[in-house]
Amino acid sequence: MRIRATAAVAVVCGAAALTGAAIPAAQAAGTLGAARPWQLAGHSAPTTGKSAFAASATAATPYPLAVTFSNVKVAGGKSAVSVGTSAIVHVPYSFTLTATNVDVSASDFYVGLDLYRGSATSPSADLYGDQPATCTVTSSQSSPEKVVTVETCKGTVDIYPKSDLRNADAGTSWHSVAWAIAYNGQNPSNPSDVSKIGTAELTGQRSPAVQRFSKLTVNAAPEPVKKGKTLTITGRLTRANWETHTYAGYTGQKVKLQFRKKGTNTYTTLKTISTDSHGNLKTTYKATADGYWRYSFAGTSTTPTVSAAGDYVDVK
């Protein structure tokens, strides 16, 4: 599992949790983030509405930072993100941050966004970025009582399928959390006074589903074929297995057999069949004209829609 290189934010019970966990030697320096990071320093997940801190045995907690979040958008508003077996997926996000009497230019002020599965008080999985968000000031208003700064923040949630996901994580039960933390000169790995650290977060925001990337193949034979003769169309529907890091057959799924006549742009559904216990597909159909044959899968909550590339058959 990846580990955050600095003390990091984990949103639980309305407060951010810090960790002083060290980064593994095999991982590049300068990262932020980890799955359920309040556990990395040997702590249990908080259950009383307070945060756990690596450097404090007392009940000290950070103060509420005067920061709010709005216009949170993940993956450009897409409904789902597909993740395969090995390639890192970089999911963009953006939000507006409004800070009151907070030095947003401080070197130890960080903001970002995580994706978490389950509840904010007891998430079962956490996806995060290798780097905190980058923010640009869009307005600043000063008065004798306060300074209000508005920023536009952007970053990416970087998903490593070989370490971040299990098959049970696929689906729609994900939320996003925008967060901010001001260390105010405290050592992120070993703060001497936790009460001087400020945190803010906005939990429960919309997140795209995280889905197991799917593949679909097709082969129509024989090629060429005489008009009126029977074609046998085979194929296979597979999807990413995040535990074995291979593609495995997706069983018992309804898949459409479709045909597009040469010189046209539209596929027509001819019949619907189901994958077998290995994800395989096989059916027959009479050949009447030159054109392209394919299988098309509508997708499920855990697996995205996919269509095979058309297999052209010349009819004599």
Side-chain angles (χ1 to χ4, degrees), residues 13-316:
C13 305
L18 302 179
T19 173
I23 188 169
Q27 185 177 331
T31 61
L32 269 175
R36 306 188 72 177
W38 60 85
Q39 295 181 330
L40 296 178
H43 299 291
S44 299
T47 58
T48 62
K50 297 183 178 180
S51 302
F53 292 90
S56 177
T58 70
T61 58
Y63 68 88
L65 196 62
V67 167
T68 60
F69 307 89
S70 59
N71 303 320
V72 178
K73 182 177 289 187
V74 182
K78 293 181 180 178
S79 61
V81 173
S82 300
V83 182
T85 59
S86 59
I88 302 168
V89 176
H90 305 284
V91 182
Y93 64 79
S94 63
F95 54 81
T96 300
L97 180 150
T98 302
T100 302
N101 294 334
V102 175
D103 183 5
V104 298
S105 66
S107 61
D108 58 356
F109 176 72
Y110 298 102
V111 300
L113 180 141
D114 286 20
L115 303 181
Y116 66 93
R117 178 172 175 262
S119 70
T121 56
S122 184
S124 59
D126 176 42
L127 302 174
Y128 51 89
D130 287 338
Q131 299 292 336
T134 299
C135 299
T136 302
V137 175
T138 57
S139 70
S140 182
Q141 297 181 350
S142 300
S143 70
E145 296 80 21
K146 61 184 178 181
V147 177
V148 179
T149 306
V150 179
E151 294 187 310
T152 296
C153 300
K154 296 180 180 181
T156 60
V157 173
D158 306 304
I159 305 175
Y160 291 68
K162 287 189 174 181
S163 61
D164 292 351
L165 294 169
R166 301 168 299 165
N167 292 338
D169 293 328
T172 59
S173 58
W174 288 88
H175 306 281
S176 69
V177 47
W179 53 262
I181 184 166
Y183 288 108
N184 297 314
Q186 293 294 302
N187 183 343
S189 297
N190 189 22
S192 59
D193 188 348
V194 167
S195 67
K196 291 182 178 179
I197 298 173
T199 63
E201 63 282 320
L202 178 64
T203 64
Q205 299 301 288
R206 178 189 175 279
S207 169
V210 180
Q211 296 182 320
R212 298 164 64 178
F213 187 80
S214 55
K215 297 180 179 182
L216 186 55
T217 62
V218 68
N219 182 56
E223 303 177 53
V225 65
K226 289 184 178 181
K227 186 174 183 177
K229 294 297 183 178
T230 299
L231 281 170
T232 298
I233 304 98
T234 57
R236 190 173 188 228
L237 175 64
T238 59
R239 61 176 178 167
N241 186 314
W242 292 332
E243 293 162 11
T244 64
H245 312 303
T246 60
Y247 282 87
Y250 197 8
T251 66
Q253 299 303 307
K254 293 186 181 299
V255 178
K256 295 177 181 178
L257 173 67
Q258 298 181 328
F259 177 72
R260 175 168 68 86
K261 189 176 181 180
K262 180 181 177 180
T264 66
N265 298 318
T266 304
Y267 277 94
T268 299
T269 298
L270 305 177
K271 63 168 71 173
T272 298
I273 64 173
S274 295
T275 58
D276 67 11
S277 59
H278 299 285
N280 295 317
L281 295 156
K282 185 176 182 180
T283 191
T284 59
Y285 211 86
K286 285 188 177 181
T288 59
D290 296 348
Y292 300 85
W293 299 81
R294 76 174 187 183
Y295 283 116
S296 183
F297 173 59
T300 63
S301 63
T302 63
T303 309
T305 181
V306 63
S307 294
D311 184 19
Y312 181 77
V313 175
D314 182 19
V315 177
K316 299 294 187 181

